[in-house]
Amino acid sequence: MSLIPKKGNVYVVDDDEAVRDSLQWLLEGKDYRVKCFDSAESFLTRYDPREVACLIADIRMDGMTGLELQDRLIERRSPLPIVFITGHGDVPMAVQTMKKGAMDFIEKPFKEEELLALVERMLDQARDAFSSHQEAASRDALLARLTTREAQVLERIVAGRLNKQIADDLGISIKTVEAHRANIMEKLNANTVADLLKIALGATAKA
């Protein structure tokens, strides 16, 4: 049974207590699980990348700014969707955050309906990213079962090499290549070459 709340987790990072309290009241009233932080630094020490979540952050904060926080998350390759809260003079900065992957920005004072729509969009994206991460983890676990030689054979199968060519490449017999292929199919739970390609290449492979 999943422990993830039905509507997902929302992180709020803002050094203004009134803003944090207002957002928490609004979002918890709509059945979101809300975690508030008064600085980017405290958020980074508590953020759990395994959660399906999104982030609402102020651009201008004491200490680490929202822009710097975004850069830190990019360095960590975090898929966390972000919306920034901006003052009227911060729009050029907000545009810069979107070029780096932020989903949107909202100007103070913001409309509740606009914010709630953005949160739902972000959580939809977060669920997709989490699902993709889970699939990648499962694929990596399967591939980790292969021996070094089997991985070499698989690499050449994916490249479209024939058994004879693979045998020549690796200096082994065709029968040995066939044995490796059978082992690879079994370990990866693949019934066809198309299945094999999907596992080896991930979602970019086409049947």
Side-chain angles (χ1 to χ4, degrees), residues 183-199:
N183 288 338
I184 293 167
M185 299 287 280
E186 182 179 351
K187 287 182 178 181
L188 300 186
N189 300 321
N191 295 317
T192 66
V193 174
D195 291 339
L196 203 61
L197 292 176
K198 286 180 182 178
I199 295 167

Side-chain angles (χ1 to χ4, degrees), residues 145-154:
R145 299 169 64 185
L146 301 181
T147 66
T148 300
R149 179 63 86 191
E150 287 166 351
Q152 291 171 340
V153 172
L154 176 59

Side-chain angles (χ1 to χ4, degrees), residues 6-8 10 27 30 32 54 83 103 113-127:
K6 182 180 177 183
K7 298 191 76 172
V10 182
L27 294 165
K30 298 296 182 180
Y32 295 104
C54 64
V83 158
M103 280 197 70
E113 297 80 8
E114 179 185 0
L115 176 66
L116 291 170
L118 282 173
V119 166
E120 198 49 48
R121 274 177 52 207
M122 285 196 291
L123 286 172
D124 283 343
Q125 178 176 308
R127 292 182 193 105

Side-chain angles (χ1 to χ4, degrees), residues 22-172:
S22 174
L23 286 170
Q24 185 164 13
W25 178 84
L26 170 64
L27 294 165
E28 287 184 345
K30 298 296 182 180
D31 295 328
Y32 295 104
R33 184 182 177 200
V34 184
K35 298 180 183 180
C36 292
F37 300 88
D38 60 5
S39 70
E41 291 89 345
S42 62
F43 165 72
L44 285 172
T45 63
R46 306 265 301 276
Y47 164 52
D48 185 350
R50 296 169 298 179
E51 288 186 329
V52 174
C54 64
L55 171 63
I56 301 171
D58 195 4
I59 279 191
R60 290 187 184 273
M61 293 184 283
D62 291 336
M64 187 185 297
T65 67
L67 283 169
E68 291 168 336
L69 172 58
Q70 184 184 28
D71 287 340
R72 292 289 182 87
L73 291 170
I74 290 171
E75 288 171 9
R76 295 185 182 189
R77 297 185 179 180
S78 167
L80 188 69
I82 308 173
V83 158
F84 283 99
I85 301 171
T86 71
H88 295 299
D90 297 334
V91 172
M93 274 194 289
V95 171
Q96 184 180 342
T97 70
M98 291 188 69
K99 289 179 180 178
K100 292 183 177 181
M103 280 197 70
D104 213 330
F105 62 90
I106 49 174
E107 288 189 80
K108 301 174 185 176
F110 49 82
K111 296 178 181 177
E112 292 184 0
E113 297 80 8
E114 179 185 0
L115 176 66
L116 291 170
L118 282 173
V119 166
E120 198 49 48
R121 274 177 52 207
M122 285 196 291
L123 286 172
D124 283 343
Q125 178 176 308
R127 292 182 193 105
D128 289 344
F130 185 78
S131 176
S132 297
H133 174 76
Q134 292 291 86
E135 289 175 8
S138 297
R139 188 168 63 249
D140 290 345
L142 284 174
L143 292 171
R145 299 169 64 185
L146 301 181
T147 66
T148 300
R149 179 63 86 191
E150 287 166 351
Q152 291 171 340
V153 172
L154 176 59
E155 181 182 352
R156 285 159 176 79
I157 293 171
V158 170
R161 304 286 283 171
L162 302 175
N163 283 357
K164 185 179 185 308
Q165 294 171 317
I166 296 173
D168 291 340
D169 289 345
L170 300 177
I172 57 179

